[in-house]
Short mmCIF file of all heavy atoms in Angstrom, two decimals:
data_model
loop_
_atom_site.label_atom_id
_atom_site.label_comp_id
_atom_site.label_asym_id
_atom_site.label_seq_id
_atom_site.Cartn_x
_atom_site.Cartn_y
_atom_site.Cartn_z
N ILE U 47 61.21 280.51 126.76
CA ILE U 47 61.86 281.79 126.39
C ILE U 47 61.74 282.84 127.59
O ILE U 47 62.88 283.44 127.87
CB ILE U 47 61.37 282.36 125.09
CG1 ILE U 47 61.58 281.37 123.96
CG2 ILE U 47 61.93 283.68 124.85
CD1 ILE U 47 60.87 281.83 122.65
N ILE U 66 69.34 291.52 125.57
CA ILE U 66 70.01 292.00 124.32
C ILE U 66 70.84 290.81 123.76
O ILE U 66 70.80 290.65 122.51
CB ILE U 66 70.89 293.30 124.70
CG1 ILE U 66 70.12 294.44 124.91
CG2 ILE U 66 71.86 293.44 123.39
CD1 ILE U 66 69.16 294.92 123.65
N HIS U 67 71.49 290.16 124.56
CA HIS U 67 72.44 289.05 124.06
C HIS U 67 71.60 287.85 123.65
O HIS U 67 71.94 287.27 122.57
CB HIS U 67 73.48 288.67 125.09
CG HIS U 67 74.64 289.70 125.31
ND1 HIS U 67 74.49 290.77 126.12
CD2 HIS U 67 75.75 289.83 124.55
CE1 HIS U 67 75.57 291.52 125.98
NE2 HIS U 67 76.33 290.92 125.01
N GLN U 68 70.57 287.69 124.23
CA GLN U 68 69.68 286.46 123.84
C GLN U 68 69.01 286.83 122.58
O GLN U 68 68.92 286.01 121.70
CB GLN U 68 68.50 286.18 124.98
CG GLN U 68 69.20 285.49 126.16
CD GLN U 68 68.12 285.10 127.17
OE1 GLN U 68 67.03 285.80 127.24
NE2 GLN U 68 68.30 284.19 128.20
N VAL U 69 68.53 288.02 122.48
CA VAL U 69 67.79 288.45 121.22
C VAL U 69 68.85 288.47 120.05
O VAL U 69 68.54 287.83 118.84
CB VAL U 69 67.20 289.83 121.33
CG1 VAL U 69 66.82 290.42 119.90
CG2 VAL U 69 66.06 289.79 122.25
N SER U 70 70.04 288.82 120.25
CA SER U 70 71.09 288.76 119.25
C SER U 70 71.44 287.28 118.72
O SER U 70 71.54 287.05 117.62
CB SER U 70 72.41 289.45 119.69
OG SER U 70 72.11 290.87 119.94
N GLU U 71 71.40 286.30 119.77
CA GLU U 71 71.64 284.95 119.52
C GLU U 71 70.54 284.35 118.55
O GLU U 71 70.74 283.59 117.68
CB GLU U 71 71.80 284.20 120.79
CG GLU U 71 73.11 284.46 121.46
CD GLU U 71 74.29 283.84 120.68
OE1 GLU U 71 74.31 283.06 119.88
OE2 GLU U 71 75.48 284.45 120.93
N LEU U 72 69.25 284.88 118.91
CA LEU U 72 68.19 284.36 118.00
C LEU U 72 68.22 284.98 116.64
O LEU U 72 68.01 284.16 115.59
CB LEU U 72 66.82 284.84 118.68
CG LEU U 72 66.44 284.00 119.97
CD1 LEU U 72 65.22 284.70 120.57
CD2 LEU U 72 65.98 282.61 119.52
N TRP U 73 68.62 286.14 116.49
CA TRP U 73 68.78 286.70 115.14
C TRP U 73 69.98 286.02 114.41
O TRP U 73 69.90 285.78 113.19
CB TRP U 73 69.11 288.21 115.28
CG TRP U 73 67.98 289.13 115.33
CD1 TRP U 73 67.76 290.13 116.36
CD2 TRP U 73 66.76 289.20 114.55
NE1 TRP U 73 66.50 290.73 116.10
CE2 TRP U 73 65.81 290.17 114.98
CE3 TRP U 73 66.33 288.40 113.40
CZ2 TRP U 73 64.58 290.42 114.51
CZ3 TRP U 73 64.95 288.74 112.82
CH2 TRP U 73 64.31 289.78 113.42
N MET U 74 71.07 285.65 115.11
CA MET U 74 72.20 285.03 114.60
C MET U 74 71.74 283.58 114.12
O MET U 74 72.14 283.04 113.10
CB MET U 74 73.31 284.89 115.51
CG MET U 74 74.14 286.19 115.50
SD MET U 74 75.62 285.95 116.50
CE MET U 74 75.17 286.12 118.18
N LYS U 75 70.77 282.94 114.84
CA LYS U 75 70.33 281.63 114.49
C LYS U 75 69.57 281.71 113.22
O LYS U 75 69.71 280.96 112.23
CB LYS U 75 69.31 281.08 115.52
CG LYS U 75 68.85 279.59 115.21
CD LYS U 75 68.02 279.08 116.38
CE LYS U 75 67.55 277.68 116.01
NZ LYS U 75 66.92 277.10 117.19
N LEU U 76 68.89 282.81 112.99
CA LEU U 76 68.05 283.00 111.67
C LEU U 76 69.08 283.19 110.55
O LEU U 76 68.95 282.73 109.49
CB LEU U 76 67.07 284.04 111.82
CG LEU U 76 66.16 284.31 110.60
CD1 LEU U 76 65.50 282.93 110.13
CD2 LEU U 76 65.08 285.46 110.83
N ALA U 77 70.02 284.12 110.76
CA ALA U 77 71.01 284.52 109.84
C ALA U 77 71.74 283.22 109.29
O ALA U 77 72.01 283.03 108.23
CB ALA U 77 71.96 285.47 110.43
N ILE U 106 68.43 291.12 108.63
CA ILE U 106 68.65 290.57 110.17
C ILE U 106 69.90 291.36 110.66
O ILE U 106 69.75 291.64 111.96
CB ILE U 106 68.99 289.12 110.01
CG1 ILE U 106 67.68 288.28 109.46
CG2 ILE U 106 69.49 288.56 111.37
CD1 ILE U 106 67.98 286.80 109.15
N ILE U 110 70.41 293.43 114.47
CA ILE U 110 71.35 293.14 115.45
C ILE U 110 72.12 294.43 115.85
O ILE U 110 72.43 294.76 116.97
CB ILE U 110 72.23 291.98 115.07
CG1 ILE U 110 71.52 290.75 114.79
CG2 ILE U 110 73.43 291.73 116.09
CD1 ILE U 110 72.45 289.55 114.27
N GLN U 142 77.58 280.70 117.80
CA GLN U 142 76.90 281.00 116.58
C GLN U 142 77.59 282.21 115.73
O GLN U 142 77.59 282.07 114.60
CB GLN U 142 75.44 281.44 116.86
CG GLN U 142 74.53 280.38 117.46
CD GLN U 142 73.12 280.71 117.27
OE1 GLN U 142 72.41 280.00 116.63
NE2 GLN U 142 72.71 281.77 117.95
#
Side-chain angles (χ1 to χ4, degrees):
I47 294 173
I66 288 296
H67 287 85
Q68 287 181 337
V69 168
S70 294
E71 289 291 336
L72 284 172
W73 279 127
M74 281 191 276
K75 182 173 183 177
L76 182 56
I106 293 167
I110 301 177
Q142 289 201 120

